[in-house]
């Protein structure tokens, strides 16, 4: 049979299409068959089989959904054989996990290999994610999973003894400390080649915010050249095949809104290991509307991070930070980039919490340096920032990555006002993020939320708490409606 | 927008299609959006959103996959509104279940209502199935789930004090006792309106085997009329909307090959309750290649069945039977129907194990009758069978349901022979079933496997153990290849 691209976007699911009247579908195994294998030479592709009416495919054609076509990577018209695939044997291991068994290193290797080879259907992938989320993986299992994820992807080698990194587990909007930490640490001369993600469910990822200033789609060669010269960079990690299993697993975690600690740790540390990091600072913000609600949970998570990180041969420092409200003022790519530049420029208007947190983190990263003793990293970081060397480094990095023309903050504005006077006691991270997303962030880079008050500030009745910025009138309306329906986003005492 | 049927068969998943260039997809929420809601008047349909190239839909059209179109039930061209759906709130309960919480009756009601209203994606449905499979539901939870499944579907009322039924949990091929039990029990005058399933993963379901003899697609009215006159019938249950949640849940359990006890019990008992049964005999076959491997598991399962059944207001009798090998000789619709008729005709060639098991079960069902005391049901059943009254009753039921012309056993035959002489010690239920399926059963009704020897029989080297029957040469080849590759299907000592 010949392959044909069927231009259907199926959310990272490999769907293969056959005509209902084709010989294969009429054979008796087909009615209950849910999977098909397509083979060309030594390339195989396994996917869910959907059958279609005769008007979608010519006789002798097998259709590949967009994602399937990309993964298979062969041109339309390529001759292929089709088969009933052998059952994926590692799914049996997932059944064991569902029954409460602890899986071993070889088991996780099998599972991850099959996932990376796209042999799992979305149903099977979900079963894996839920089984691991529910049984609270043993710490050894987290390690096995993380190692297997590293093995099944590219690993970058920097040829250096020390390559540092920082990572925040997320959940707090506006938390763009990476863009302050990188230039400080790089200015100190430590190699910090940062790969960041774009927003998945948030109003902006670090890659989105950095992209306001410069290009982030760097090849590995360009990244190497920049790090060679400037020690640091902020690239979009999706351009590299680091821990590809992670990307596939996330595609079902996201719609389920599951973020179980075992998988989160394996996900983060596999990416770091694959990116060639030797020393990693992990930031766990704690707060009622953050990912981690209590200090108790944060301490447990820290232990697990440390165990897995150590056994993967990395040095980890896990810092627990305040996640009770957004960090800084801006939420959305341009607004966050503005905060970053204010901090780097030592602008008196720079949000103080954002600056302090960035210095804390940069200091802890610098503490990794063998020449730094006694916790002086923080004062070194401060000196680098205050002296303007961090700003200078940032400008060189931006120049090296390829600067972009300045982007404007969304010009359509509405102000959310306090219903009563008093002390601002609460800001809901989720709801502020949602508001920023409805306003258009991150697709409209200028859209988002700008906080005018932070927790602890005093407020007069009717005084604005935050501004919504949008590029389109309709989006401003969506965000505004959301705020009107959710006044509990802001708490005044 | 207007709806259009997109003739893609998507395995009971509701897929909605929009053109990539439509205004809705270009709005900022769309890129990360995975679900869409279609509304017409008070009808809504929620499904997974796939975006398609411009050549699949006209501007202003929203496409519905085959299943989606059937579920929505409105003609092509119907004007609809499209929305970003509200998150399904009961998915939050599944997250709780994943975290190990025990859910309450109201929780299961919410979940099952949303499932029946097709609000769950396949990923969410899988999460529910795996979460319940893994945490080993509390017995109260099984009861809540079963009750919720009954509530969310039709319930048949027969207006009688006693309506009996029998059910086997499955896993053993050839086990067509229902078709012997029904005429015996009906001949005794007890109402036994049986709804049976077609094969899902097996070479034949009771509905498939009964259909060799007569029509099984009965309306409820016809079923009532037949039961009024003959006391019994064997209808295909899929024609009624009994426990529709079950059908949806099974659609993900099947590809995962998960059959967790809690869900199995809820599934079976919800169907029985909805079918109006008051007294149910449950058959649990035990054997290394049956669904339940050990007697210990079978006893636990019995306890759970009894608890849930009692609290649903049914009288249950749970019988644990021998599941070490197939029951009877024939496996596949026509071959099984032959065994059934041999037993009913008191043919000396009738497989003895099949007859004995059928009498045991029929006797236990007759024991439900308040007039039967002291366990005499079995001798009553035997008397009915031996006297020819069971055969007579079967002929009347077949006549009432609408007889079919006789179907032939598949004429293409190969014999699987013993590699060495000795005692037949083992027959693998799964592998014999697989062989029968590859030969074409149940689609080709005459195809299947005919056992010439049973466990305990002595064998000479080269003596045939079973025959493979097929209608098509190619299928005979598939089944034969499978047997050659799996000689362990048969064990000789």
């Amino acid at each position: 049979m010949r392959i044909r691209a069927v231009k259907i976007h199926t959310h990272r699911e490999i769907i293969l299409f056959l005509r209902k009247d084709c010989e294969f579908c009429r054979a008796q195994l087909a009615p209950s068959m849910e999977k098909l294998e397509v083979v060309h030479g030594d390339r195989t592709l396994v996917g869910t089989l959907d059958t279609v009416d005769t008007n979608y495919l010519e006789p002798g054609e097998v259709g590949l959904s967009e994602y399937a076509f990309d993964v298979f990577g062969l041109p339309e018209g390529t001759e292929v054989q089709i088969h009933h695939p052998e059952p994926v044997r590692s799914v049996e291991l997932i059944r064991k996990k569902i029954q409460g068994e602890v899986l071993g290193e070889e088991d996780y290797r099998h599972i991850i290999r099959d996932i990376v080879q796209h042999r799992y259907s979305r149903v099977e992938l979900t079963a894996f994610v839920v089984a691991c989320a529910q049984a609270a993986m043993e710490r050894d299992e987290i390690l096995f999973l993380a190692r297997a994820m590293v093995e099944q992807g590219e690993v970058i080698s920097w040829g250096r003894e020390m390559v540092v990194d920082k990572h925040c587990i997320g959940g707090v909007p506006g938390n763009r400390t990476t863009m302050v930490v990188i230039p400080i640490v790089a200015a100190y001369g430590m190699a910090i080649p940062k790969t960041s993600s774009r927003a998945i469910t948030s109003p902006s990822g670090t890659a989105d915010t950095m992209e306001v200033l410069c290009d982030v789609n760097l090849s590995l060669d360009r990244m190497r050249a920049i790090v060679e010269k400037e020690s640091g960079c902020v690239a979009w990690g999706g351009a590299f095949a680091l821990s590809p299993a992670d990307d596939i697993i996330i595609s079902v975690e996201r719609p389920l809104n599951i973020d179980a600690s075992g998988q989160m740790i394996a996900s983060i540390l596999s990416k770091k290991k694959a990116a060639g990091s030797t020393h990693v600072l992990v930031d766990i913000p704690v707060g009622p509307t953050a990912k981690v609600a209590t200090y108790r949970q944060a301490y447990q998570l820290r232990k697990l991070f440390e165990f897995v990180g150590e056994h993967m041969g990395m040095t980890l420092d896990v810092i627990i930070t305040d996640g009770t409200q957004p960090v800084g003022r801006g939420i959305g790519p341009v607004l966050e980039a503005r905060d970053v530049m204010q901090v780097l420029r030592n602008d008196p208007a720079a949000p103080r919490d954002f600056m302090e947190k960035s210095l804390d983190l940069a200091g802890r990263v610098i503490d990794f340096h063998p020449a730094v003793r006694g916790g002086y990293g923080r004062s070194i970081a401060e000196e680098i920032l205050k002296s303007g060397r961090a700003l200078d480094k940032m400008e060189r990095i931006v120049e090296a990555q390829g600067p972009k023309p300045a982007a404007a903050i969304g010009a359509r504005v509405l102000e959310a006002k306090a219903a009563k006077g008093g002390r601002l006691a609460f800001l809901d991270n989720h709801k502020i993020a949602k508001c920023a997303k409805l306003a258009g962030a991150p697709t409209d880079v200028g859209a988002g939320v700008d906080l005018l008050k932070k927790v602890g500030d005093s407020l007069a009745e009717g005084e604005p708490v935050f501004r919504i910025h949008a590029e389109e009138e309709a989006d401003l309306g969506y965000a505004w409606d959301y705020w009107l329906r959710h006044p509990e986003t802001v708490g005044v005492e």
Side-chain angles (χ1 to χ4, degrees), chain A:
Chain A
M1 300 191 73
R2 300 174 312 281
I3 63 171
R4 173 160 164 188
V6 174
K7 297 290 173 82
I8 298 184
H9 173 81
T10 53
H11 312 281
R12 295 192 78 104
E13 186 167 12
I14 295 180
I15 307 280
L16 304 172
F17 302 94
L18 286 177
R19 279 165 65 119
K20 280 188 180 116
D21 63 350
C22 79
E23 203 192 335
F24 196 85
C25 287
R26 282 163 48 222
Q28 45 286 331
L29 286 176
S32 68
M33 210 184 102
E34 303 221 335
K35 278 187 168 183
L36 183 72
E37 184 171 43
V38 171
V39 179
H40 177 85
D42 58 356
R43 279 205 222 191
T44 65
L45 183 71
V46 176
T48 299
L49 170 62
D50 282 1
T51 52
V52 299
D53 233 31
T54 52
N55 52 333
Y56 292 101
L57 291 171
E58 298 298 316
E61 284 184 339
V62 49
L64 278 65
S65 66
E66 269 189 5
Y67 183 63
F69 191 75
D70 289 349
V71 166
F72 202 43
L74 292 173
E76 280 200 296
T78 301
E79 286 288 336
V80 293
Q81 275 98 48
I82 59 174
H83 297 286
H84 186 154
E86 284 292 308
V88 183
R89 265 181 301 169
S90 67
V91 171
E92 193 48 55
L93 300 169
I94 291 168
R95 256 172 246 130
K96 278 193 186 172
K97 184 79 196 147
I98 291 172
Q99 282 155 25
E101 288 187 41
V102 173
L103 302 184
E105 179 139 34
E106 214 31 62
D107 297 334
Y108 281 101
R109 246 182 225 141
H110 279 301
I111 293 169
I112 294 301
R113 191 183 309 136
D114 284 336
I115 289 176
V116 169
Q117 291 175 359
H118 304 283
R119 301 187 78 86
Y120 274 38
S121 69
R122 236 164 127 80
V123 164
E124 287 160 346
L125 204 56
T126 306
F128 174 63
V129 166
V130 173
C132 289
Q134 189 165 32
M137 300 168 80
E138 298 282 324
R139 59 182 202 174
D140 279 334
E141 292 186 276
I142 303 173
L143 174 61
F144 299 153
L145 176 61
R147 276 195 193 140
M149 286 164 91
V150 173
E151 283 168 14
Q152 295 294 323
E154 305 288 326
V155 175
I156 303 177
S157 167
W158 297 95
R160 289 170 185 249
E161 239 171 71
M162 181 181 264
V163 175
V164 299
D165 204 346
K166 74 154 284 275
H167 186 91
C168 176
I169 66 160
V172 175
N175 195 11
R176 244 5 103 223
T177 54
T178 295
M179 286 170 64
V180 178
V181 171
I182 301 299
I184 293 175
V185 173
Y188 189 64
M190 294 165 83
I192 187 161
K194 178 85 185 130
T195 52
S196 291
S197 55
R198 293 188 189 282
I200 298 175
T201 56
S202 73
S204 188
T206 295
D208 299 308
T209 302
M210 187 70 176
E211 202 171 33
V212 170
L213 306 176
C214 60
D215 191 13
V216 293
N217 288 319
L218 306 181
S219 67
L220 185 55
D221 283 347
R222 266 191 73 203
M223 204 170 150
R224 275 188 201 286
I226 295 169
V227 173
E228 207 50 57
K229 208 167 146 227
E230 304 297 347
S231 296
C233 70
V234 181
W236 175 52
F240 313 110
L242 306 175
S243 192
D246 187 45
D247 300 337
I248 299 172
I249 290 170
I250 284 174
S251 76
V252 304
E253 281 178 334
R254 182 178 15 139
L256 278 176
N257 201 9
I258 286 181
D259 200 354
S261 56
Q263 274 154 345
M264 179 179 72
I265 292 167
S267 161
I268 292 170
L269 294 184
S270 67
K271 290 264 195 219
K272 296 300 153 200
K273 184 75 187 174
S277 310
T278 62
H279 294 68
V280 182
L281 178 73
V282 176
D283 170 15
I284 304 180
V286 177
T289 59
K291 252 186 201 171
V292 175
T294 68
Y295 281 89
R296 190 194 160 90
Q297 286 174 282
Y299 294 136
Q300 287 174 339
L301 206 51
R302 176 158 75 184
K303 284 271 169 223
L304 281 175
F305 263 114
E306 286 168 351
F307 173 84
V308 178
E310 290 295 323
H311 284 79
M312 292 177 81
M314 295 184 285
T315 302
L316 247 66
D317 185 13
V318 181
I319 182 170
I320 296 171
T321 60
D322 176 16
T324 52
Q325 61 175 332
V327 173
R329 290 206 193 99
I331 294 144
V334 173
L335 289 159
E336 292 172 10
R338 178 207 61 194
D339 283 4
V340 167
M341 295 314 295
Q342 282 179 347
V343 170
L344 289 172
R345 287 187 185 119
N346 295 303
D347 186 330
R352 189 156 183 91
D353 64 327
F354 180 44
M355 183 194 71
E356 293 292 344
K357 180 169 180 182
S358 301
L359 285 173
D360 285 347
L361 298 182
R364 293 284 278 262
V365 174
I366 291 171
D367 280 336
F368 282 136
H369 198 289
V372 179
R373 305 219 171 242
Y376 283 105
R378 159 86 201 206
S379 57
I380 294 169
E382 201 163 338
E383 194 279 320
I384 292 172
L385 180 67
K386 297 301 171 202
S387 68
R389 284 163 60 205
L391 178 62
D392 180 55
K393 177 57 80 180
M394 185 62 157
E395 284 168 350
R396 294 172 63 100
I397 290 172
V398 165
E399 192 56 38
Q401 293 194 191
K404 295 221 167 179
I409 295 171
R412 294 167 202 274
V413 183
L414 278 170
E415 287 188 339
K417 289 172 182 162
K420 61 172 184 179
R423 192 186 75 94
L424 182 59
F426 175 76
L427 287 169
D428 187 309
N429 286 318
H430 298 307
K431 287 177 180 151
I432 286 177
K434 176 89 181 182
C435 212
K437 282 196 289 177
L438 287 167
T443 314
D444 293 348
V445 291
V449 165
D450 202 16
L451 296 171
L452 305 172
K453 299 285 180 183
K454 299 291 294 263
V455 169
D457 290 353
S458 55
L459 274 167
E461 186 187 322
E463 200 179 354
V465 181
F466 61 87
R467 278 195 202 111
I468 301 169
H469 290 270
E471 297 183 1
E472 306 290 337
E473 202 58 41
D475 300 333
L476 189 66
Y478 296 144
W480 185 248
D481 280 354
Y482 182 82
W483 154 247
L484 293 181
R485 283 184 294 118
H486 295 93
E488 75 281 9
T489 304
V490 170
V492 179
E493 276 171 359

